[in-house]
Amino acid sequence: QQQVKQSPQSLIVQKGGISIINCAYENTAFDYFPWYQQFPGKGPALLIAIRPDVSEKKEGRFTISFNKSAKQFSLHIMDSQPGDSATYFCAASIQTGTASKLTFGTGTRLQVTL
Amino acid sequence: DGGITQSPKYLFRKEGQNVTLSCEQNLNHDAMYWYRQDPGQGLRLIYYSQIVNDFQKGDIAEGYSVSREKKESFPLTVTSAQKNPTAFYLCASIGYAGTTEAFFGQGTRLTVV
């Protein structure tokens, strides 16, 4: 059972364009929604995150939009740059005891062309 | 520098052999995690540990085992019972209750030959 569904699987955007990646979740108990960026051969790194009491969060060129009623959230990358070419994972977490368990989407491979 | 160190970076295993992947962190984090990454499937949770001497199965624990004898260390053993062990393995840690940022190591790529 895939609790976090991510689309598209791959994305090609021209330099300066807007990259949009979408995720949908099923479990309403999720209380934290991060996005991770991963370069080839490296571990993922936190990019930006949002909690469900906020509809939007912006950090530089990266924005998360969150729709609680639709159980959807998306990552927007404005003015996309070749250095943004990477795989992006959305995730959702739920607190269990003293630890958080992250459930990841399947990833989106972004390629930004010149 | 604080962080998570995974070793080795590349590992080759013969069929039928057990192999242990190392994960060490100096972030003083309580919770540690092992994920498996396969193309098109994202990251899937194998095992996690909240405190020393305690760990729980994740979504795909069959064929794997872990130990947590020290706060800093969370080794993963891929046993011969794991039918398809070739994958990229990622170790992560989270600081303390109430925080949710996971810090990842650089990964170990395991190949069965």
Side-chain angles (χ1 to χ4, degrees), chain B residues 64-104:
Chain B
Y64 300 97
S65 66
V66 294
S67 63
R68 186 87 185 274
E69 297 177 0
K70 299 186 299 182
K71 187 176 184 178
E72 302 79 17
S73 179
F74 191 42
L76 173 74
T77 297
V78 184
T79 74
S80 57
Q82 169 51 236
K83 297 188 184 338
N84 185 21
T86 295
F88 190 51
Y89 291 87
L90 288 160
C91 179
S93 71
I94 293 179
Y96 55 89
T99 67
T100 43
E101 179 177 356
F103 293 83
F104 284 85

Side-chain angles (χ1 to χ4, degrees), chain A residues 54-114:
Chain A
V54 177
S55 62
E56 185 175 281
K57 183 174 182 180
K58 183 176 181 180
E59 290 184 1
R61 296 183 295 108
F62 301 92
T63 300
I64 299 179
S65 296
F66 188 83
N67 186 330
K68 188 174 181 178
S69 61
K71 294 188 287 186
Q72 296 175 346
F73 59 111
S74 60
L75 175 69
H76 295 230
I77 306 175
M78 311 300 287
D79 187 26
S80 299
Q81 299 296 313
D84 296 331
S85 297
T87 299
Y88 292 81
F89 292 95
C90 62
S93 74
I94 180 171
Q95 203 78 14
T96 56
T98 57
S100 297
K101 281 179 57 178
L102 279 167
T103 299
F104 286 86
T106 52
T108 296
R109 180 173 291 184
L110 171 65
Q111 182 182 354
V112 181
T113 61
L114 294 172

Side-chain angles (χ1 to χ4, degrees), chain A residues 9 31-32 34 36 38 41-46 51 87 89 93 95-107, chain B residues 9 31 33 35 37 40-43 45 48 50-51 57 59 88 90 94 96-102 104-107:
Chain A
Q9 187 174 10
D31 56 6
Y32 179 72
Y36 282 80
Q38 184 182 32
K42 305 293 185 184
L46 180 66
R51 293 199 180 271
T87 299
F89 292 95
S93 74
Q95 203 78 14
T96 56
T98 57
S100 297
K101 281 179 57 178
L102 279 167
T103 299
F104 286 86
T106 52
Chain B
K9 188 171 183 179
Y33 305 78
Y35 286 90
Q37 184 174 15
Q41 296 195 50
L43 282 71
L45 182 63
Y48 66 104
Q50 302 178 32
I51 56 173
K57 292 181 179 180
D59 301 318
F88 190 51
L90 288 160
I94 293 179
Y96 55 89
T99 67
T100 43
E101 179 177 356
F104 284 85
Q106 296 297 288

Side-chain angles (χ1 to χ4, degrees), chain B residues 8-28:
Chain B
K9 188 171 183 179
Y10 299 97
L11 188 57
F12 296 88
R13 189 195 91 174
K14 292 183 179 180
E15 283 192 25
Q17 286 183 336
N18 291 355
V19 64
T20 298
L21 283 59
S22 171
C23 178
E24 303 278 334
Q25 55 103 353
N26 60 4
L27 300 167
N28 198 33

Side-chain angles (χ1 to χ4, degrees), chain A residues 11-57:
Chain A
L11 183 61
I12 300 175
V13 174
Q14 279 194 326
K15 179 182 176 181
I18 302 173
S19 304
I20 301 174
I21 304 171
N22 300 300
C23 283
Y25 64 96
E26 298 172 3
N27 189 345
T28 56
F30 286 139
D31 56 6
Y32 179 72
F33 301 87
W35 285 89
Y36 282 80
Q37 180 188 56
Q38 184 182 32
F39 293 103
K42 305 293 185 184
L46 180 66
L47 186 63
I48 187 173
I50 197 168
R51 293 199 180 271
D53 54 346
V54 177
S55 62
E56 185 175 281
K57 183 174 182 180

Side-chain angles (χ1 to χ4, degrees), chain B residues 31-47:
Chain B
M32 296 186 74
Y33 305 78
W34 274 105
Y35 286 90
R36 169 179 171 143
Q37 184 174 15
D38 297 282
Q41 296 195 50
L43 282 71
R44 293 181 291 168
L45 182 63
I46 304 172
Y47 268 97

